[in-house]
């Protein structure tokens, strides 16, 4: 008999079954009961004999497909079945993070407005969509699945014990600009120091940081011509298609770049995801996404110049550190003294908050990405 109590950090009685290969291996190894199994988006047609033999009581089937009559039988035998949701342009039960290639499927021949990422956003903003029960359920199930996949990624060999450092900054930085180059340099330095870069997954400084990390394994002399071509389409307006195709050309020229993480949201769907984050955890609920983005950055966060969104992230992170025990406080580094002291004076308020708290010696204001890395111990 097979011991099925192992799982990916869930309850010891929970087992995520996310592929037919996994299902077949478990059955072939002598599994007799499915109690605690969570089968996600599996096409189980042709597995009727196995399902008839297994004790399915306590199993959960999420968006699976069965041979005719099988679904009713296993439901009567105690399984819980979440049906496939029709008319939804995404898989609410997906078992993995997105890739840019998946979100931009068809980019080479179709405009962005016809691609999966845009179609999901268009679905999400239909009048009354966020108040419909089936839509709310689909979105919530999707975000739960993405959170589960993100947990798996954070425990995977991709990270191999490395810390995750967040890079936050404005979406307005244009390719070829000083700010974009600064963010790309930071991403590169962080990746070369053995850290994993995490961003909000969007354009501007976020794209630049993911780009710098992605290309960190290639000589700068080889990368510079590609970046010059990227700068020919400085922003995602007026054409997301042209912006994304320029990035896709860089990825095609430099395959298998260094992994990094992007955590964007369809709540801000007018800002497309960037093509350089190799692993994308895209959420519908922005509040969930914001909290998770800060939570995964166990190595601290570097805040590049930005406006409202970046200011919000600074003080959301500050609130976490303010109430944390000393051992749980993570570094906060603000880059750009004039920006954070005069233009958007977040630094004086942050200093006031930190005074006398465990976070007091973990906040920094610097003027360059090299200084940012130095104060973080890089």
């Amino acid at each position: 008999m097979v011991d099925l109590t192992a799982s990916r950090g869930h309850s010891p009685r929970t087992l995520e079954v996310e592929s037919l290969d996994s299902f077949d291996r478990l059955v072939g190894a002598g599994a007799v009961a499915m109690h605690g199994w969570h089968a996600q988006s599996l096409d189980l047609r042709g597995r009727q004999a196995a399902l008839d033999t297994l004790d399915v009581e306590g199993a959960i089937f999420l968006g699976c497909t069965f041979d005719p009559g099988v679904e009713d039988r296993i439901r009567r035998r105690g399984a819980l079945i979440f049906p496939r949701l029709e008319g939804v342009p995404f898989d609410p039960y997906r078992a993995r993070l997105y890739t840019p290639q998946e979100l931009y499927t068809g980019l080479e021949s179709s405009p962005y407005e016809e691609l999966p990422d845009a179609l999901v956003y268009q679905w999400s903003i239909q009048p009354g969509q966020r108040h419909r029960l089936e839509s709310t359920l689909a979105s919530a199930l999707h975000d739960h699945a993405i959170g589960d996949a993100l947990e798996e990624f954070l425990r995977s060999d991709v990270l191999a014990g490395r810390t995750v450092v967040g890079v936050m900054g404005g979406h307005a930085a244009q390719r070829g600009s000083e700010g974009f180059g600064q963010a790309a340099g930071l991403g590169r330095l962080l990746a070369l120091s053995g850290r994993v870069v995490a961003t909000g997954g969007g354009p501007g400084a976020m794209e630049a940081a993911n780009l710098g990390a992605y290309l960190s394994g290639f000589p700068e002399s080889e990368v510079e011509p590609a970046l010059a071509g990227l700068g020919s389409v400085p922003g995602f307006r007026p054409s997301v298609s042209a912006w994304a195709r320029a990035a896709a050309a860089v990825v095609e020229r430099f395959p298998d770049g260094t992994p990094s993480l992007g955590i964007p949201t369809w709540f801000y769907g007018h800002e497309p995801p960037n093509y350089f984050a190799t692993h994308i955890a895209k959420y519908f609920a922005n509040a969930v996404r914001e909290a998770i983005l800060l939570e995964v950055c166990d190595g601290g966060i570097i805040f590049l110049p930005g406006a409202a969104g970046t200011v919000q992230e600074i003080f959301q992170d500050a609130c976490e550190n303010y109430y944390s025990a000393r051992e749980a406080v993570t570094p906060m580094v603000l880059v750009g003294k004039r920006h954070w002291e005069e233009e958007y004076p977040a630094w004086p308020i942050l200093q006031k908050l930190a005074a006398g708290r465990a976070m007091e010696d973990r906040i920094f204001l610097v003027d360059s990405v090299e200084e940012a890395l130095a104060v973080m111990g890089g």
Side-chain angles (χ1 to χ4, degrees):
M1 184 177 296
V2 181
D3 179 6
L4 301 179
T5 59
S7 71
R8 303 177 330 209
H10 297 267
S11 150
R13 296 182 64 82
T14 298
L15 182 71
E16 304 283 348
V17 184
E18 299 172 343
S19 70
L20 279 178
D21 286 344
S22 296
F23 179 86
D24 290 340
R25 281 198 301 270
L26 290 165
V27 173
V32 296
M34 293 183 67
H35 185 84
W37 290 27
H38 293 175
Q40 295 178 231
S41 296
L42 302 185
D43 185 349
L44 292 168
R45 289 174 294 187
R47 268 68 176 182
Q48 178 178 342
L51 291 169
D52 285 345
T53 302
L54 289 163
D55 177 2
V56 297
E57 184 175 2
I60 299 176
F61 295 87
L62 302 151
C64 296
T65 306
F66 305 93
D67 289 315
V70 172
E71 182 174 338
D72 288 339
R73 288 205 299 277
I74 63 175
R75 183 183 286 112
R76 288 195 299 268
R77 292 166 52 209
L80 178 60
I81 299 176
F82 285 78
R84 298 178 65 87
L85 299 174
E86 302 299 330
V88 176
F90 56 89
D91 180 2
Y93 310 113
R94 63 179 298 116
R96 64 189 187 284
L97 297 179
Y98 290 100
T99 65
Q101 291 79 6
E102 180 182 1
L103 291 172
Y104 285 100
T105 299
L107 176 64
E108 63 282 353
S109 58
S110 300
Y112 170 73
E113 291 73 19
E114 297 177 6
L115 306 187
D117 183 68
L119 293 176
V120 174
Y121 176 56
Q122 291 164 20
W123 172 88
S124 73
I125 61 172
Q126 289 176 13
Q129 190 75 288
R130 288 174 178 157
H131 302 291
R132 295 190 179 105
L133 177 60
E134 67 275 16
S135 301
T136 302
L137 178 62
S139 301
L141 287 168
H142 170 276
D143 283 3
H144 173 80
I146 286 294
D148 191 51
L150 180 56
E151 285 185 18
E152 183 176 3
F153 170 73
L154 294 172
R155 288 192 296 271
S156 69
D157 292 340
V158 175
L159 268 68
R162 295 182 292 166
T163 59
V164 178
V165 173
V167 177
M168 312 297 177
H171 67 269
Q174 298 279 288
R175 294 167 175 172
S177 69
E178 180 181 354
F180 191 92
Q182 183 183 46
L186 176 59
R188 181 179 181 87
L189 289 172
L190 286 170
L192 289 174
S193 72
R195 297 169 170 95
V196 176
V197 171
T199 76
M206 296 171 281
E207 179 190 38
N210 287 127
L211 165 66
Y214 182 84
L215 294 176
S216 62
F218 300 95
E220 287 189 81
S221 59
E222 294 181 17
V223 169
E224 286 174 1
L227 297 185
L230 191 65
S232 66
V233 188
F236 66 92
R237 294 188 178 99
S239 172
V240 176
S241 304
W243 175 81
R245 285 173 185 147
V250 173
V251 170
E252 184 176 353
R253 182 171 176 180
F254 298 95
D256 303 318
T258 300
S260 69
L261 179 63
I263 307 183
T265 173
W266 276 294
F267 184 81
Y268 296 133
H270 57 284
E271 294 181 9
N274 77 69
Y275 212 91
F276 298 107
T278 57
H279 296 74
I280 300 175
K282 191 156 190 177
Y283 288 85
F284 287 100
N286 185 52
V288 173
R289 167 255 190 176
E290 289 278 7
I292 289 175
L293 177 54
L294 297 177
E295 181 183 332
V296 303
C297 297
D298 56 357
I301 298 177
I302 298 173
F303 299 92
L304 298 173
T310 310
V311 171
Q312 176 189 343
E313 289 161 345
I314 288 173
F315 289 107
Q316 192 169 347
D317 192 30
C319 186
E320 296 285 338
N321 281 329
Y322 184 89
Y323 289 109
S324 290
R326 176 170 293 277
E327 61 272 14
V329 173
T330 55
M332 299 179 64
V333 184
L334 278 60
V335 179
K337 292 182 179 179
R338 182 177 178 277
H339 185 87
W340 294 120
E341 288 183 314
E342 300 177 26
E343 293 184 32
Y344 293 91
W347 177 250
I349 301 175
L350 185 60
Q351 281 186 302
K352 288 282 188 182
L353 283 172
R357 309 292 298 189
M359 64 187 284
E360 187 171 20
D361 61 354
R362 304 287 280 168
I363 63 169
F364 307 92
L365 177 65
V366 300
D367 251 338
S368 70
V369 296
E370 290 80 9
E371 289 177 282
L373 196 66
V375 298
M376 296 189 80

